[in-house]
């Protein structure tokens, strides 16, 4: 296997968590806060605290979304990434937000928040308000903000991401596309691997393997090895099993660095757990399996590492409260 | 100039004018220059921007959509229009969706060129006219070129619009001369108007000539270039006060061009009839194809029938 780097929880001693290199994020420019004040994505914080803040922000937004749903304030569908936040912040923080491109799928809120910090625009979008990030046209699965895009068609985003990567290759940009284990069944994924390799597209395929697709466990739908899928296409592969955002970010930086430097695609496999339902109230997994998923919740271990996590939590919670309030006050999109 | 040359010329001009433009498709490189030779010379002149692709119609259209989204317009050639079925998801759920669903924050300048139609004996999976399945998709413009328009100019307009276009070409038409709009029969006070598009236009024109010469039935041919969104106003004004309309298309009957014409003409004409291809696959046998696809004789007969109704 080509450059396969499977790491397990605890393989890496805490002391090796260095400060991550981050390009000044463009999202910062839009915030009206003075530099010294808190930013929503925690750009002023040290790495561990920053990643924690982004994770808890995602968690609180999505828990609130489920609440709003049960109160009848949301409609359609909304896929939360509760349990998978470490992937979102790990991968997105390895990117250059000024030029890199992100393609996400139905489960896109976490990726979106980590990229943009646009909590209010997201909540308003999902509530169908004119102030939503797409004016209430797209909703939960169809987001667009600068170079972030998502679409609710499994697999279809993969060739589009390849094209985006090729279009911006000369500028040194990298495109990332998020896929799930269930989406390994879509032919578009394999056409994309071939196209990306043949044309030398700087695209990072990220597979978030939570071992389930909607209600169907992986063993009923996915044959062979997900990790080994890209290598025969001549695509360098990284794999990780651990749910630690700092480790994921380091690995993603290595992968992104390779993609950018070589102008080649890369396959990054991340074993993860979906703690929440697929959408809402549709979790059919047995209690034991759910317990196993919850045991890998990435938030509690991070709280051990961030001294002032309560302060961060309070900051994020009030942000979410305000976002919901202002979204609810905005007009419904009616065209 | 022949139709294939008009399109080829336009491709060269567009490549010359827009240094971001990429042309891609299966077997498009010289010396072959594409299955119907439409891209001939292009890869020699613009080596870096003419890409031969894997046999991945969905993947290619998706990749082209991504490129277009990030500022590099693409013209995709589908080898046979029939293969567009494999790209349906990319066209409908990606290329045509992005601009509107992302609240007009993006544009997708992509053109998909698809050679359609029968009469070459290619059989059931290489002879179809599948365009109707892509008509009525919001965000997608579908046009069909013909020899009484300017095939090259259509490409120029499509690219200038910076939005997704599907352009239907016709395999038989490639080798025909471009006559231009002035050559279409448009007698004053026509007895009948034939509404048609694409590969059927030449048959309608031949039928119109015979109708005048043999039956003294003055027949106008309206060759519709843009299929979707359907140009209702333009079609109505071209039909004018004529009370008899025959709609002719090569694809399967129903849910298609004739239905759309009828919708546009509700309450405007007294007599309307429709001609289409068979409601089963296109046979490989050349003669059988000619029996089934609406040709000069069938169009002439349909017009006479309608004329007799008063
Ligand atoms: C083409 C397509 N088929 C089916 C669906 C319905 N659907 C939405 S999410 C999903 C499961 C996806 O599973 P996976 O790829 O593992 O991602 P996860 O939900 O676990 O994040 C399904 C079947 C869809 N959105 N698109
Ligand atoms: Mg899954």
């Amino acid at each position: 296997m080509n450059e396969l780097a499977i790491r397990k929880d605890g393989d890496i001693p805490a002391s090796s968590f260095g400060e991550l290199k981050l390009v000044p994020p463009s999202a910062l420019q839009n915030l009206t806060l003075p530099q010294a004040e808190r930013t929503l994505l925690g750009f002023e914080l040290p790495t561990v605290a920053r990643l924690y803040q982004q994770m808890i922000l995602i968690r609180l937004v999505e828990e609130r979304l489920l609440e709003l749903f049960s109160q009848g304030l949301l409609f359609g569908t909304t896929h939360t990434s509760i349990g998978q936040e470490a992937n979102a912040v790990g991968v997105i923080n390895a990117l250059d937000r000024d030029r890199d491109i992100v393609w996400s799928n139905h489960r896109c809120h976490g990726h979106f928040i980590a990229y943009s910090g646009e909590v209010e625009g997201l909540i308003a979008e999902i509530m169908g308000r004119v102030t939503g990030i797409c004016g209430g046209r797209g909703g939960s699965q169809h987001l667009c903000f600068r170079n972030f895009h998502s679409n609710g068609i499994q697999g279809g985003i993969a060739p589009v991401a390849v094209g985006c990567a090729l279009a911006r290759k000369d500028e040194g940009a990298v495109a990332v596309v998020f896929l799930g284990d269930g989406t390994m069944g879509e032919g578009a994924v394999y056409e994309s691997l071939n196209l990306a390799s043949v044309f030398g597209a700087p695209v990072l395929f990220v597979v978030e393997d939570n071992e389930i697709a909607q209600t169907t466990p992986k063993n009923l739908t996915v044959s062979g090895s997900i990790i080994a899928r890209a290598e025969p296409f001549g695509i360098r592969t990284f794999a990780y099993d651990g749910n630690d955002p700092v480790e994921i970010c380091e690995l993603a930086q290595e992968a992104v660095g390779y993609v950018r430097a070589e102008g080649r695609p890369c396959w990054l496999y991340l074993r993860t757990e979906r703690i929440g339902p697929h959408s809402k109230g549709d979790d059919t997994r047995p209690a034991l399996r759910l317990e196993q998923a919850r045991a890998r919740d990435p938030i509690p271990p991070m709280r051990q590492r961030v001294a002032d996590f309560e302060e961060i939590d309070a900051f994020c919670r009030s942000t979410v409260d305000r976002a919901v309030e202002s979204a609810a006050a905005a007009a419904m999109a009616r065209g | 100039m022949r139709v294939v040359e008009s399109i080829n010329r336009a491709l060269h001009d567009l490549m010359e004018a827009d240094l971001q433009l990429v042309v891609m498709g299966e077997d498009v490189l010289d010396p072959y220059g594409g299955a119907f030779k439409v891209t001939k010379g292009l890869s020699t002149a613009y080596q870096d921007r003419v890409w031969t692709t894997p046999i991945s119609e969905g993947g290619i259209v998706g990749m082209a959509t991504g490129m277009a989204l990030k500022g590099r317009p693409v013209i995709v050639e589908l080898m046979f229009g029939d293969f567009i079925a494999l790209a349906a998801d990319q066209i409908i759920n990606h290329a045509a969706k992005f601009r509107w669903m992302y609240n007009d924050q993006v544009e997708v300048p992509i053109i998909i060129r698809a050679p359609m139609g029968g009469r070459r004996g290619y059989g059931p999976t290489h002879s179809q006219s599948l365009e109707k399945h892509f008509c009525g998709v919001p965000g997608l413009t579908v046009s069909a070129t013909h020899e009484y328009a300017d095939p090259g100019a259509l490409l120029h307009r499509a690219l200038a619009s910076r939005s997704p276009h599907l352009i239907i070409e016709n395999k038989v038409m490639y080798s025909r001369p471009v006559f231009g709009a002035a050559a279409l029969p448009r007698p004053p006070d026509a007895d009948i108007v034939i509404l048609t598009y694409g590969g059927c236009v030449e048959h309608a024109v031949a039928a119109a000539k015979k109708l005048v010469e043999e039956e003294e039935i003055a027949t106008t041919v309206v060759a519709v270039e843009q299929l979707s969104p359907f140009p209702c106003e333009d079609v109505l004004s071209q039909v004018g006060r004529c009370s008899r309309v025959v709609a002719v298309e090569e694809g399967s009957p129903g849910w298609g061009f004739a239905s759309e014409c009828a919708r546009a003409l509700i309450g405007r004409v007294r007599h309307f009839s429709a001609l289409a291809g068979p409601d089963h696959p296109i046979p490989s046998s050349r003669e059988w194809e000619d029996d089934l696809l609406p040709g000069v004789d069938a169009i002439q007969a349909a017009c006479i029938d309608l004329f007799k109704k008063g």
Side-chain angles (χ1 to χ4, degrees), chain A residues 84 106-107 180-183 208-214 274:
Chain A
Q84 303 184 189
H106 60 295
R107 207 173 296 289
D181 51 291
T183 302
E208 296 185 79
D209 178 5
N210 55 17
E211 298 200 324
I212 190 162
Q214 202 150 333
R274 191 192 87 199

Side-chain angles (χ1 to χ4, degrees), chain A residues 94 174 236 251-263:
Chain A
V174 163
R236 188 172 170 185
L251 194 59
Q253 281 184 313
E254 200 180 332
V256 168
Y258 163 80
V259 170
R260 206 186 304 281
E262 302 299 322

Side-chain angles (χ1 to χ4, degrees), chain B residues 209-230:
Chain B
K209 286 195 178 122
K210 287 179 76 181
L211 284 161
V212 173
E213 286 160 14
E214 297 169 13
E215 318 284 341
E216 294 186 350
I217 298 176
T219 309
T220 283
V221 176
V222 174
V224 178
E225 191 180 49
Q226 183 173 306
L227 304 179
S228 181
F230 194 72

Side-chain angles (χ1 to χ4, degrees), chain A residues 142-212:
Chain A
H142 312 105
L143 306 174
C144 174
F145 178 78
R146 296 193 181 139
N147 279 321
F148 183 100
H149 306 274
S150 69
N151 200 7
I153 301 288
Q154 299 309 316
I157 57 173
V160 179
V162 172
C164 289
L166 287 169
R168 296 285 168 87
K169 185 175 180 175
D170 290 349
E171 294 163 35
V174 163
V176 173
V177 55
F178 288 95
L179 306 165
D181 51 291
T183 302
M184 296 300 102
E186 292 289 359
V189 172
Y190 306 95
E191 289 188 25
S192 302
L193 291 177
N194 190 48
L195 289 165
S197 191
V198 164
F199 289 110
V203 57
L204 177 65
F205 297 92
V206 177
V207 185
E208 296 185 79
D209 178 5
N210 55 17
E211 298 200 324
I212 190 162

